[in-house]
């Protein structure tokens, strides 16, 4: 069986299970099972600590894994980046007290940086030519400054609410922009049919989340302008209507542009404009 690691907890867990579920796989646990098998597709989903997933994949113990890009880099694991998964977006940043004027370029040998991501931070400090002290902590690093353990922290920031409540603010540009990713062992993993099918199905779900289908009726004389507004993937589907001089048009458009597209089509005298969600697709 193809083995795919999913996060067993944390911010990435729900998104990973939902994505695999929408791709048609049986991967939901009833309790705290360590693995769930889907015999119909020859796949076993193994639930692991997100931080460990890239390491298991790199050693060939697990074929594919869903984890954070930040965790993949911090592990130092040699894996193939297969797909960005479109959820779990965050920034990995330095943060300091709001009253501080310290910047990453001003770090010195006396600057203490608390983090759970030693490798990422040491790599960044090396690139900056800074010789700061890295203090390794296992989570909840925000409190370390208040407790006098550190001067700065380096951590994943999503909404920024947690560090704001701790009296901190990000400093400098993000070290890394991260999100959930699908990784595979370097080598021949993606040559396996089951691995290719999983990746294609997941990609179809990701694309479907970004696009919708718009349908509308239009005076044929305005079709050239409408094609520019809704060009579709290859081209829009155009069908004649049982009304002289009118056509029906269907095309995929980006979800975020829906309202602007509807405004533009209305100005072209389009009628019956309907927008429909897509469950999955193949491009």
């Amino acid at each position: 069986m193809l083995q795919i690691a999913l996060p067993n907890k944390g911010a990435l867990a729900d998104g990973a299970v939902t994505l695999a579920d929408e791709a048609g796989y049986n991967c939901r646990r009833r309790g705290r099972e360590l693995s769930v098998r889907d015999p119909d597709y020859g796949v076993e989903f193994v639930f692991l600590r997100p931080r460990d997933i890239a390491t298991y994949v790199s050693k060939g113990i697990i074929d594919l894994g869903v984890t954070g890009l930040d965790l993949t880099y911090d592990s130092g694991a040699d894996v193939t980046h297969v797909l960005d998964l479109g959820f779990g977006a965050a920034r990995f940043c330095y943060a300091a007290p709001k009253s501080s004027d310290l910047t990453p370029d001003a770090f010195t040998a006396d600057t203490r940086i608390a983090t759970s991501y030693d490798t990422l931070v040491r790599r960044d400090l090396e690139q900056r030519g800074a010789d700061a002290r890295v203090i390794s902590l296992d989570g909840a690093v925000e409190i370390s400054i208040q407790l006098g353990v550190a001067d700065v922290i380096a951590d994943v920031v999503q909404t920024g609410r947690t560090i704001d409540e701790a009296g901190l603010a990000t400093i400098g540009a993000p070290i890394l922009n991260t999100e959930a990713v699908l990784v595979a062992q370097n080598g021949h993993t993606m040559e396996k049919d089951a691995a290719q099918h999983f990746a294609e199905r997941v990609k179809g779900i990701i694309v479907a989340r970004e696009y919708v289908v718009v349908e509308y009726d239009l005076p044929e004389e305005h079709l050239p302008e409408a094609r520019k507004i809704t060009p579709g993937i290859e081209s829009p589907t155009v069908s004649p209507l049982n009304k002289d001089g009118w056509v029906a048009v269907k095309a995929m458009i980006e979800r975020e542009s829906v309202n602007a597209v509807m405004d533009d089509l209305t100005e072209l005298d389009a009628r019956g404009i309907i927008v429909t969600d897509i469950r999955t697709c193949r491009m």
Side-chain angles (χ1 to χ4, degrees), residues 30-282:
R30 295 179 180 178
R32 302 181 66 179
E33 299 97 323
L34 298 179
S35 66
V36 174
R37 290 194 172 198
D38 187 339
D40 292 340
Y41 297 110
V43 174
E44 181 180 18
F45 293 94
V46 183
F47 295 88
L48 301 171
R49 289 178 68 236
R51 183 172 288 277
D52 298 334
I53 288 176
T55 299
Y56 279 109
V57 172
S58 70
K59 295 181 181 298
I61 299 169
I62 299 290
D63 298 296
L64 300 175
V66 174
T67 186
L69 183 63
D70 54 330
L71 295 171
T72 300
Y73 284 168
D74 192 60
S75 71
D78 184 18
V79 293
T80 297
H81 183 162
V82 180
L83 278 176
D84 293 329
L85 299 180
F87 67 91
R91 298 165 293 142
F92 186 72
C93 303
Y94 292 114
K98 294 176 182 178
S99 59
S100 172
D101 57 1
L102 186 64
T103 66
D105 291 333
F107 290 166
T108 68
D110 294 326
T111 305
R112 300 167 300 169
I113 304 172
T115 187
S116 300
Y117 297 78
D118 293 22
T119 302
L120 270 177
V121 172
R122 293 183 191 282
R123 186 181 303 164
D124 182 71
L125 292 174
E126 183 178 349
Q127 291 174 349
R128 294 176 185 275
D131 189 25
R133 293 171 54 195
V134 178
I135 300 170
S136 179
L137 298 177
D138 188 13
V141 296
E142 298 87 0
I143 194 67
S144 63
I145 296 178
Q146 182 179 334
L147 295 176
V149 174
D151 306 300
V152 179
I153 67 167
D155 203 8
V156 174
V157 177
Q158 290 183 306
T159 64
R161 178 178 168 183
T162 302
I163 65 167
D164 180 67
E165 291 175 347
L168 308 178
T170 60
I171 57 174
I175 301 170
L176 175 71
N177 289 308
T178 182
E179 66 176 299
V181 293
L182 178 67
V183 296
Q185 184 191 27
N186 287 326
H188 304 293
T189 300
M190 293 311 299
E191 294 178 5
K192 298 179 181 179
D193 288 344
Q196 291 181 14
H197 290 162
F198 182 80
E200 285 298 323
R201 284 190 176 198
V202 166
K203 187 176 181 180
I205 298 299
I206 295 168
V207 173
R209 290 175 176 177
E210 296 175 352
Y211 288 85
V212 293
V213 172
V214 62
E215 302 176 67
Y216 55 94
D217 299 338
L218 183 80
E220 190 170 9
E221 62 182 326
H222 295 315
L223 188 55
E225 298 102 304
R227 287 180 185 273
K228 295 178 182 178
I229 298 169
T230 60
I233 301 303
E234 301 295 338
S235 66
T237 299
V238 181
S239 306
L241 287 176
N242 191 22
K243 180 179 180 180
D244 289 343
W246 282 72
V247 292
V249 183
K250 180 189 289 188
M252 287 176 63
I253 62 172
E254 292 182 351
R255 182 180 295 273
E256 63 182 19
S257 68
V258 165
N259 291 304
V261 166
M262 293 180 73
D263 292 340
D264 292 342
L265 292 175
T266 300
E267 291 183 5
L268 293 180
D269 296 326
R271 298 289 183 268
I273 306 172
I274 299 173
V275 176
T276 309
D277 283 336
I278 305 170
R279 288 191 61 189
T280 186
C281 64
R282 300 290 172 94

